[in-house]
Amino acid sequence: MTTTRQAGTRARILTAAVEVIAAHGVSGATTKRIAASAGCSEALIYKHFTGKEELFLAVILEVMPGLAHALDRLRSDLDERPLAEALTAFAESAVEFYRQAAPIASGLLTDPALLGAFRAMLAVRQAGPHIPIAVLAGILRAQQAAGRIRADADCDGAAALLMGACYQRADHSLLVELPTEPASFAGSAVSALLTGLSA
Amino acid sequence: MTTTRQAGTRARILTAAVEVIAAHGVSGATTKRIAASAGCSEALIYKHFTGKEELFLAVILEVMPGLAHALDRLRSDLDERPLAEALTAFAESAVEFYRQAAPIASGLLTDPALLGAFRAMLAVRQAGPHIPIAVLAGILRAQQAAGRIRADADCDGAAALLMGACYQRADHSLLVELPTEPASFAGSAVSALLTGLSA
Protein backbone atom coordinates (compact mmCIF):
# COMPACT_ATOMS: atom_id res chain seq x y z
CA MET A 1 0.00 0.00 0.00
CA THR A 2 2.68 2.46 1.08
CA THR A 3 4.87 1.20 -1.76
CA THR A 4 2.10 1.85 -4.29
CA ARG A 5 1.57 5.35 -2.97
CA GLN A 6 5.32 5.99 -3.05
CA ALA A 7 5.49 4.79 -6.64
CA GLY A 8 2.60 7.12 -7.47
CA THR A 9 4.38 10.08 -5.92
CA ARG A 10 7.59 9.24 -7.75
CA ALA A 11 5.73 9.09 -11.08
CA ARG A 12 3.96 12.38 -10.30
CA ILE A 13 7.30 14.06 -9.58
CA LEU A 14 8.76 12.72 -12.85
CA THR A 15 5.78 13.97 -14.88
CA ALA A 16 6.04 17.36 -13.19
CA ALA A 17 9.78 17.47 -13.95
CA VAL A 18 9.12 16.88 -17.66
CA GLU A 19 6.57 19.70 -17.74
CA VAL A 20 8.74 22.13 -15.82
CA ILE A 21 11.81 21.36 -17.98
CA ALA A 22 9.73 21.92 -21.14
CA ALA A 23 8.51 25.28 -19.82
CA HIS A 24 11.64 26.64 -18.15
CA GLY A 25 14.59 24.63 -19.44
CA VAL A 26 16.87 22.58 -17.21
CA SER A 27 18.42 25.65 -15.59
CA GLY A 28 14.97 26.91 -14.65
CA ALA A 29 13.73 23.51 -13.48
CA THR A 30 14.16 24.13 -9.77
CA THR A 31 12.96 21.61 -7.23
CA LYS A 32 10.70 24.40 -5.95
CA ARG A 33 8.91 24.63 -9.31
CA ILE A 34 8.79 20.85 -9.72
CA ALA A 35 7.34 20.44 -6.23
CA ALA A 36 4.69 23.08 -6.94
CA SER A 37 3.73 21.38 -10.21
CA ALA A 38 3.63 17.93 -8.57
CA GLY A 39 1.65 19.26 -5.64
CA CYS A 40 4.18 18.04 -3.09
CA SER A 41 6.89 19.47 -0.87
CA GLU A 42 10.49 19.89 -1.97
CA ALA A 43 11.45 17.57 0.88
CA LEU A 44 9.37 14.81 -0.68
CA ILE A 45 11.34 15.16 -3.93
CA TYR A 46 14.54 14.58 -1.97
CA LYS A 47 13.00 11.47 -0.41
CA HIS A 48 12.67 9.95 -3.88
CA PHE A 49 15.77 11.34 -5.56
CA THR A 50 19.19 12.15 -4.11
CA GLY A 51 19.25 15.34 -6.13
CA LYS A 52 18.40 17.12 -9.35
CA GLU A 53 20.91 14.98 -11.29
CA GLU A 54 19.23 11.73 -10.24
CA LEU A 55 15.83 13.20 -11.03
CA PHE A 56 16.99 14.20 -14.52
CA LEU A 57 18.57 10.81 -15.12
CA ALA A 58 15.26 9.17 -14.16
CA VAL A 59 13.44 11.48 -16.59
CA ILE A 60 15.80 10.44 -19.38
CA LEU A 61 15.70 6.72 -18.55
CA GLU A 62 12.09 6.23 -17.52
CA VAL A 63 9.84 8.87 -18.99
CA MET A 64 11.03 9.63 -22.47
CA PRO A 65 10.14 7.32 -25.36
CA GLY A 66 13.03 5.00 -24.89
CA LEU A 67 16.04 4.45 -27.03
CA ALA A 68 16.20 1.03 -25.32
CA HIS A 69 12.74 0.31 -26.68
CA ALA A 70 13.84 1.32 -30.20
CA LEU A 71 16.84 -1.01 -29.88
CA ASP A 72 14.56 -3.87 -28.78
CA ARG A 73 12.34 -3.27 -31.78
CA LEU A 74 15.38 -3.23 -34.07
CA ARG A 75 16.40 -6.62 -32.69
CA SER A 76 13.00 -8.16 -33.47
CA ASP A 77 12.65 -6.25 -36.77
CA LEU A 78 15.88 -7.81 -37.97
CA ASP A 79 14.28 -11.25 -37.78
CA GLU A 80 11.63 -10.22 -40.27
CA ARG A 81 12.79 -7.33 -42.41
CA PRO A 82 15.79 -6.58 -44.62
CA LEU A 83 18.72 -4.93 -42.81
CA ALA A 84 18.23 -1.60 -44.63
CA GLU A 85 14.56 -1.35 -43.70
CA ALA A 86 15.10 -2.27 -40.05
CA LEU A 87 17.99 0.18 -39.63
CA THR A 88 16.05 2.99 -41.33
CA ALA A 89 13.08 2.53 -39.00
CA PHE A 90 15.48 2.49 -36.06
CA ALA A 91 17.19 5.69 -37.22
CA GLU A 92 13.85 7.51 -37.38
CA SER A 93 13.02 6.43 -33.82
CA ALA A 94 16.47 7.44 -32.60
CA VAL A 95 16.13 10.95 -34.07
CA GLU A 96 12.78 11.32 -32.32
CA PHE A 97 14.25 10.11 -29.01
CA TYR A 98 17.18 12.51 -29.21
CA ARG A 99 14.87 15.42 -30.08
CA GLN A 100 13.00 14.84 -26.85
CA ALA A 101 16.17 14.28 -24.85
CA ALA A 102 17.93 17.38 -26.23
CA PRO A 103 16.67 19.96 -23.71
CA ILE A 104 17.83 17.80 -20.80
CA ALA A 105 21.13 16.71 -22.33
CA SER A 106 21.90 20.30 -23.29
CA GLY A 107 20.92 21.54 -19.86
CA LEU A 108 23.46 19.21 -18.29
CA LEU A 109 26.24 20.27 -20.64
CA THR A 110 25.52 23.93 -19.94
CA ASP A 111 25.52 23.87 -16.15
CA PRO A 112 29.06 23.18 -14.84
CA ALA A 113 27.90 22.17 -11.35
CA LEU A 114 25.15 19.88 -12.57
CA LEU A 115 27.49 18.40 -15.21
CA GLY A 116 30.06 17.58 -12.53
CA ALA A 117 27.49 15.87 -10.32
CA PHE A 118 26.02 14.00 -13.30
CA ARG A 119 29.46 12.81 -14.46
CA ALA A 120 30.18 11.50 -10.96
CA MET A 121 26.85 9.69 -10.78
CA LEU A 122 27.26 8.10 -14.24
CA ALA A 123 30.79 6.96 -13.37
CA VAL A 124 29.60 5.18 -10.22
CA ARG A 125 26.69 3.53 -12.02
CA GLN A 126 28.72 2.69 -15.13
CA ALA A 127 25.83 4.20 -17.03
CA GLY A 128 25.88 6.87 -19.68
CA PRO A 129 24.75 8.08 -23.08
CA HIS A 130 27.40 5.94 -24.81
CA ILE A 131 25.82 2.66 -23.67
CA PRO A 132 23.12 2.57 -26.41
CA ILE A 133 25.90 2.77 -29.02
CA ALA A 134 27.52 -0.32 -27.50
CA VAL A 135 24.13 -2.10 -27.54
CA LEU A 136 23.64 -1.20 -31.22
CA ALA A 137 27.15 -2.48 -31.98
CA GLY A 138 26.23 -5.76 -30.29
CA ILE A 139 23.10 -6.08 -32.43
CA LEU A 140 25.17 -5.47 -35.56
CA ARG A 141 27.75 -8.05 -34.46
CA ALA A 142 25.00 -10.66 -34.10
CA GLN A 143 23.95 -9.90 -37.68
CA GLN A 144 27.59 -10.19 -38.71
CA ALA A 145 27.86 -13.61 -37.04
CA ALA A 146 24.77 -14.64 -39.02
CA GLY A 147 26.46 -13.57 -42.25
CA ARG A 148 24.14 -10.64 -42.94
CA ILE A 149 26.90 -8.07 -42.43
CA ARG A 150 30.28 -8.44 -44.09
CA ALA A 151 32.86 -10.10 -41.89
CA ASP A 152 35.43 -7.29 -42.01
CA ALA A 153 33.01 -4.48 -41.09
CA ASP A 154 33.78 -2.49 -37.92
CA CYS A 155 30.52 -2.81 -35.99
CA ASP A 156 31.56 -0.40 -33.22
CA GLY A 157 32.38 2.23 -35.79
CA ALA A 158 29.15 1.61 -37.69
CA ALA A 159 27.09 1.97 -34.51
CA ALA A 160 28.85 5.24 -33.63
CA LEU A 161 28.18 6.56 -37.14
CA LEU A 162 24.48 5.76 -37.22
CA MET A 163 23.70 6.85 -33.66
CA GLY A 164 25.79 10.00 -34.01
CA ALA A 165 24.06 11.01 -37.23
CA CYS A 166 20.66 10.65 -35.52
CA TYR A 167 21.84 12.62 -32.50
CA GLN A 168 23.18 15.50 -34.55
CA ARG A 169 20.15 15.50 -36.85
CA ALA A 170 17.90 15.87 -33.80
CA ASP A 171 19.85 18.85 -32.45
CA HIS A 172 20.03 20.52 -35.85
CA SER A 173 16.29 20.12 -36.36
CA LEU A 174 15.82 22.21 -33.21
CA LEU A 175 18.08 24.97 -34.54
CA VAL A 176 17.19 25.23 -38.24
CA GLU A 177 14.55 24.26 -40.75
CA LEU A 178 16.40 21.35 -42.37
CA PRO A 179 16.11 20.94 -46.15
CA THR A 180 15.48 17.18 -45.99
CA GLU A 181 12.62 15.17 -44.46
CA PRO A 182 13.39 12.86 -41.50
CA ALA A 183 12.63 9.74 -43.58
CA SER A 184 14.90 10.87 -46.39
CA PHE A 185 17.68 11.61 -43.87
CA ALA A 186 17.36 8.13 -42.35
CA GLY A 187 17.28 6.40 -45.74
CA SER A 188 20.30 8.31 -46.97
CA ALA A 189 22.38 7.65 -43.83
CA VAL A 190 21.56 3.93 -43.82
CA SER A 191 22.29 3.66 -47.54
CA ALA A 192 25.73 5.20 -46.98
CA LEU A 193 26.31 2.90 -44.02
CA LEU A 194 25.47 -0.22 -46.01
CA THR A 195 27.28 0.66 -49.22
CA GLY A 196 30.45 2.15 -47.79
CA LEU A 197 32.69 4.57 -49.65
CA SER A 198 35.56 2.35 -50.79
CA ALA A 199 35.78 2.34 -54.57
CA MET B 1 42.24 54.30 -37.62
CA THR B 2 38.74 54.24 -36.20
CA THR B 3 38.10 51.00 -38.08
CA THR B 4 41.19 49.40 -36.56
CA ARG B 5 40.13 50.46 -33.10
CA GLN B 6 36.61 49.16 -33.71
CA ALA B 7 38.00 45.82 -34.88
CA GLY B 8 40.11 45.70 -31.72
CA THR B 9 37.08 46.31 -29.51
CA ARG B 10 35.08 43.68 -31.35
CA ALA B 11 37.87 41.12 -30.87
CA ARG B 12 38.15 42.06 -27.18
CA ILE B 13 34.42 41.53 -26.70
CA LEU B 14 34.60 38.14 -28.42
CA THR B 15 37.52 37.02 -26.24
CA ALA B 16 35.67 38.20 -23.14
CA ALA B 17 32.55 36.31 -24.26
CA VAL B 18 34.53 33.06 -24.59
CA GLU B 19 35.96 33.50 -21.08
CA VAL B 20 32.62 34.38 -19.50
CA ILE B 21 30.85 31.47 -21.24
CA ALA B 22 33.54 29.08 -20.00
CA ALA B 23 33.14 30.35 -16.43
CA HIS B 24 29.38 30.84 -16.22
CA GLY B 25 27.81 28.89 -19.09
CA VAL B 26 25.69 30.49 -21.79
CA SER B 27 22.82 31.21 -19.43
CA GLY B 28 25.19 33.06 -17.09
CA ALA B 29 26.99 34.89 -19.89
CA THR B 30 25.19 38.20 -19.47
CA THR B 31 26.23 41.24 -21.47
CA LYS B 32 26.94 42.88 -18.11
CA ARG B 33 29.56 40.22 -17.27
CA ILE B 34 30.98 40.25 -20.79
CA ALA B 35 31.27 44.04 -20.73
CA ALA B 36 33.03 43.93 -17.35
CA SER B 37 35.47 41.31 -18.61
CA ALA B 38 36.12 43.23 -21.85
CA GLY B 39 36.52 46.49 -19.96
CA CYS B 40 33.83 48.24 -21.97
CA SER B 41 30.23 49.34 -21.54
CA GLU B 42 27.24 47.14 -22.32
CA ALA B 43 26.18 49.78 -24.85
CA LEU B 44 29.42 49.23 -26.75
CA ILE B 45 28.63 45.51 -27.05
CA TYR B 46 25.33 46.42 -28.68
CA LYS B 47 27.17 48.70 -31.11
CA HIS B 48 29.07 45.67 -32.41
CA PHE B 49 26.42 42.97 -32.11
CA THR B 50 22.64 43.20 -32.48
CA GLY B 51 22.24 40.95 -29.47
CA LYS B 52 23.49 37.99 -27.51
CA GLU B 53 22.57 35.59 -30.35
CA GLU B 54 24.74 37.45 -32.85
CA LEU B 55 27.56 37.61 -30.34
CA PHE B 56 27.36 33.84 -29.74
CA LEU B 57 27.21 33.13 -33.47
CA ALA B 58 30.36 35.24 -33.92
CA VAL B 59 32.04 33.28 -31.12
CA ILE B 60 31.19 30.01 -32.87
CA LEU B 61 32.19 31.21 -36.34
CA GLU B 62 35.22 33.37 -35.61
CA VAL B 63 36.86 32.42 -32.36
CA MET B 64 36.71 28.67 -32.00
CA PRO B 65 39.18 26.47 -33.87
CA GLY B 66 37.16 26.28 -37.01
CA LEU B 67 35.37 23.39 -38.53
CA ALA B 68 35.73 25.32 -41.80
CA HIS B 69 39.49 25.21 -41.33
CA ALA B 70 39.36 21.43 -40.74
CA LEU B 71 37.32 21.04 -43.93
CA ASP B 72 39.88 23.10 -45.86
CA ARG B 73 42.67 20.90 -44.53
CA LEU B 74 40.72 17.77 -45.49
CA ARG B 75 40.43 19.12 -49.03
CA SER B 76 44.18 19.60 -49.35
CA ASP B 77 44.99 16.40 -47.42
CA LEU B 78 43.01 14.42 -49.96
CA ASP B 79 45.45 15.47 -52.69
CA GLU B 80 48.32 13.86 -50.82
CA ARG B 81 47.08 11.15 -48.47
CA PRO B 82 44.91 8.05 -48.74
CA LEU B 83 41.19 8.65 -48.16
CA ALA B 84 41.17 6.74 -44.85
CA GLU B 85 44.06 8.76 -43.42
CA ALA B 86 42.65 12.12 -44.48
CA LEU B 87 39.18 11.34 -43.13
CA THR B 88 40.57 10.04 -39.82
CA ALA B 89 42.59 13.23 -39.29
CA PHE B 90 39.49 15.26 -40.13
CA ALA B 91 37.35 13.28 -37.68
CA GLU B 92 39.80 13.99 -34.85
CA SER B 93 39.69 17.72 -35.62
CA ALA B 94 35.90 17.68 -35.82
CA VAL B 95 35.58 16.04 -32.38
CA GLU B 96 37.86 18.70 -30.93
CA PHE B 97 35.85 21.48 -32.57
CA TYR B 98 32.55 20.12 -31.30
CA ARG B 99 33.98 19.70 -27.79
CA GLN B 100 34.74 23.40 -27.70
CA ALA B 101 31.45 24.36 -29.31
CA ALA B 102 29.36 22.18 -26.96
CA PRO B 103 28.83 24.67 -24.14
CA ILE B 104 27.52 27.29 -26.56
CA ALA B 105 25.45 24.92 -28.68
CA SER B 106 23.94 23.41 -25.55
CA GLY B 107 23.28 26.82 -24.08
CA LEU B 108 21.25 27.75 -27.13
CA LEU B 109 19.21 24.54 -27.04
CA THR B 110 18.47 25.04 -23.36
CA ASP B 111 17.23 28.61 -23.43
CA PRO B 112 13.87 28.80 -25.27
CA ALA B 113 14.06 32.59 -25.85
CA LEU B 114 17.65 32.51 -27.09
CA LEU B 115 16.89 29.46 -29.24
CA GLY B 116 13.98 31.28 -30.88
CA ALA B 117 16.08 34.34 -31.67
CA PHE B 118 18.95 32.18 -32.92
CA ARG B 119 16.64 30.15 -35.18
CA ALA B 120 15.26 33.35 -36.67
CA MET B 121 18.75 34.75 -37.28
CA LEU B 122 20.01 31.52 -38.90
CA ALA B 123 16.93 31.36 -41.15
CA VAL B 124 17.50 34.90 -42.44
CA ARG B 125 21.20 34.28 -43.03
CA GLN B 126 20.69 30.80 -44.46
CA ALA B 127 23.41 29.75 -42.07
CA GLY B 128 23.41 26.95 -39.56
CA PRO B 129 25.16 23.99 -38.02
CA HIS B 130 24.06 21.74 -40.91
CA ILE B 131 26.12 23.66 -43.48
CA PRO B 132 29.47 21.94 -42.66
CA ILE B 133 27.81 18.58 -43.38
CA ALA B 134 26.83 19.84 -46.83
CA VAL B 135 30.41 21.05 -47.37
CA LEU B 136 31.80 17.64 -46.36
CA ALA B 137 29.33 15.95 -48.72
CA GLY B 138 30.62 18.18 -51.53
CA ILE B 139 34.21 17.20 -50.77
CA LEU B 140 33.22 13.51 -50.87
CA ARG B 141 31.37 14.01 -54.17
CA ALA B 142 34.52 15.52 -55.71
CA GLN B 143 36.40 12.37 -54.63
CA GLN B 144 33.60 10.28 -56.11
CA ALA B 145 33.88 12.13 -59.43
CA ALA B 146 37.60 11.37 -59.37
CA GLY B 147 36.84 7.66 -58.92
CA ARG B 148 38.22 7.43 -55.39
CA ILE B 149 34.79 6.76 -53.87
CA ARG B 150 32.44 4.18 -55.33
CA ALA B 151 29.92 5.60 -57.77
CA ASP B 152 26.79 4.39 -55.97
CA ALA B 153 27.77 5.73 -52.50
CA ASP B 154 25.41 8.27 -50.92
CA CYS B 155 27.78 11.15 -50.12
CA ASP B 156 25.17 13.18 -48.21
CA GLY B 157 24.45 10.21 -46.00
CA ALA B 158 28.15 9.51 -45.51
CA ALA B 159 28.82 13.12 -44.49
CA ALA B 160 25.93 13.04 -41.99
CA LEU B 161 27.28 9.80 -40.51
CA LEU B 162 30.84 10.99 -40.03
CA MET B 163 30.01 14.46 -38.77
CA GLY B 164 27.28 13.14 -36.50
CA ALA B 165 29.56 10.55 -34.94
CA CYS B 166 32.13 13.27 -34.17
CA TYR B 167 29.46 15.55 -32.72
CA GLN B 168 28.04 12.87 -30.43
CA ARG B 169 31.48 11.65 -29.41
CA ALA B 170 32.37 15.21 -28.33
CA ASP B 171 29.24 15.55 -26.17
CA HIS B 172 29.69 12.11 -24.64
CA SER B 173 33.30 12.85 -23.77
CA LEU B 174 32.03 15.76 -21.67
CA LEU B 175 29.59 13.49 -19.81
CA VAL B 176 31.51 10.26 -19.25
CA GLU B 177 35.01 8.82 -19.28
CA LEU B 178 34.82 7.01 -22.62
CA PRO B 179 36.47 3.59 -22.89
CA THR B 180 38.15 4.34 -26.23
CA GLU B 181 40.82 6.88 -27.19
CA PRO B 182 39.89 9.68 -29.63
CA ALA B 183 42.23 8.29 -32.30
CA SER B 184 40.79 4.80 -31.99
CA PHE B 185 37.26 6.22 -32.24
CA ALA B 186 38.13 8.14 -35.41
CA GLY B 187 39.87 5.16 -37.00
CA SER B 188 37.00 2.83 -36.21
CA ALA B 189 34.31 5.21 -37.53
CA VAL B 190 36.22 5.87 -40.76
CA SER B 191 36.88 2.17 -41.25
CA ALA B 192 33.16 1.43 -40.94
CA LEU B 193 32.38 4.29 -43.32
CA LEU B 194 34.77 3.01 -45.96
CA THR B 195 33.95 -0.70 -45.72
CA GLY B 196 30.18 -0.49 -45.38
CA LEU B 197 28.04 -3.19 -43.83
CA SER B 198 26.57 -4.94 -46.87
CA ALA B 199 27.63 -8.58 -46.95
Side-chain angles (χ1 to χ4, degrees):
Chain A
M1 180 70 188
T2 311
T3 313
T4 312
R5 196 191 309 149
Q6 281 181 349
T9 306
R10 192 173 185 284
R12 219 167 66 235
I13 294 170
L14 285 175
T15 307
V18 172
E19 289 167 4
V20 172
I21 290 168
H24 301 279
V26 165
S27 58
T30 57
T31 47
K32 190 175 172 182
R33 277 187 174 138
I34 294 168
S37 168
C40 72
S41 67
E42 282 184 77
L44 197 54
I45 292 182
Y46 286 102
K47 260 197 183 156
H48 287 271
F49 303 95
T50 55
K52 235 172 115 168
E53 314 74 66
E54 200 182 79
L55 176 55
F56 290 163
L57 185 68
V59 167
I60 293 173
L61 294 179
E62 299 172 33
V63 181
M64 291 187 316
L67 197 50
H69 180 74
L71 286 162
D72 284 344
R73 214 187 49 213
L74 171 62
R75 224 181 256 110
S76 62
D77 263 12
L78 283 167
D79 292 336
E80 295 158 19
R81 303 167 75 180
L83 187 60
E85 257 184 58
L87 287 176
T88 304
F90 170 75
E92 291 187 61
S93 305
V95 171
E96 200 39 48
F97 166 79
Y98 282 128
R99 264 184 74 96
Q100 303 208 25
I104 297 183
S106 302
L108 290 170
L109 290 172
T110 313
D111 182 327
L114 202 55
L115 177 59
F118 201 73
R119 274 187 71 100
M121 187 182 63
L122 291 179
V124 169
R125 297 190 177 204
Q126 302 201 284
H130 59 307
I131 303 295
I133 300 179
V135 174
L136 176 57
I139 293 174
L140 295 178
R141 260 191 293 276
Q143 293 292 308
Q144 194 173 38
R148 295 178 70 193
I149 285 178
R150 54 187 284 177
D152 61 347
D154 185 320
C155 291
D156 289 305
L161 289 171
L162 187 59
M163 209 73 108
C166 296
Y167 178 72
Q168 189 174 40
R169 165 89 192 183
D171 277 6
H172 286 182
S173 73
L174 296 168
L175 284 166
V176 286
E177 210 63 57
L178 291 168
T180 53
E181 293 299 311
S184 126
F185 155 79
S188 170
V190 169
S191 161
L193 192 67
L194 293 178
T195 311
L197 295 180
S198 290
Chain B
M1 182 65 188
T2 310
T3 313
T4 313
R5 197 191 309 149
Q6 281 180 346
T9 306
R10 192 173 185 284
R12 219 168 65 236
I13 293 170
L14 285 176
T15 306
V18 171
E19 287 167 3
V20 172
I21 289 168
H24 301 279
V26 164
S27 59
T30 57
T31 46
K32 189 174 171 182
R33 277 187 174 137
I34 295 167
S37 168
C40 71
S41 68
E42 281 185 78
L44 197 55
I45 293 182
Y46 286 102
K47 261 197 183 155
H48 287 271
F49 304 95
T50 55
K52 235 173 115 168
E53 312 76 62
E54 199 181 81
L55 175 55
F56 290 163
L57 185 67
V59 168
I60 293 174
L61 295 179
E62 300 171 34
V63 180
M64 290 187 316
L67 198 50
H69 180 74
L71 285 162
D72 283 345
R73 213 187 48 213
L74 171 62
R75 223 182 256 109
S76 62
D77 262 12
L78 283 168
D79 292 337
E80 295 158 19
R81 304 168 75 179
L83 187 59
E85 257 184 59
L87 287 176
T88 303
F90 169 75
E92 289 187 63
S93 305
V95 171
E96 200 38 49
F97 166 79
Y98 282 128
R99 264 183 75 96
Q100 304 208 23
I104 296 183
S106 302
L108 290 170
L109 290 172
T110 313
D111 182 328
L114 203 54
L115 177 58
F118 202 73
R119 273 187 71 100
M121 186 181 64
L122 292 179
V124 169
R125 297 188 176 205
Q126 302 200 285
H130 60 307
I131 303 295
I133 300 178
V135 173
L136 177 57
I139 293 174
L140 295 178
R141 261 191 292 276
Q143 293 292 308
Q144 195 173 37
R148 293 178 70 193
I149 285 179
R150 53 186 285 175
D152 61 348
D154 186 319
C155 290
D156 289 305
L161 289 170
L162 187 59
M163 209 73 108
C166 296
Y167 178 72
Q168 189 175 39
R169 165 91 193 182
D171 277 7
H172 286 183
S173 73
L174 295 168
L175 283 166
V176 287
E177 211 61 59
L178 291 168
T180 53
E181 292 300 310
S184 126
F185 154 79
S188 170
V190 169
S191 161
L193 191 67
L194 292 178
T195 311
L197 295 181
S198 290

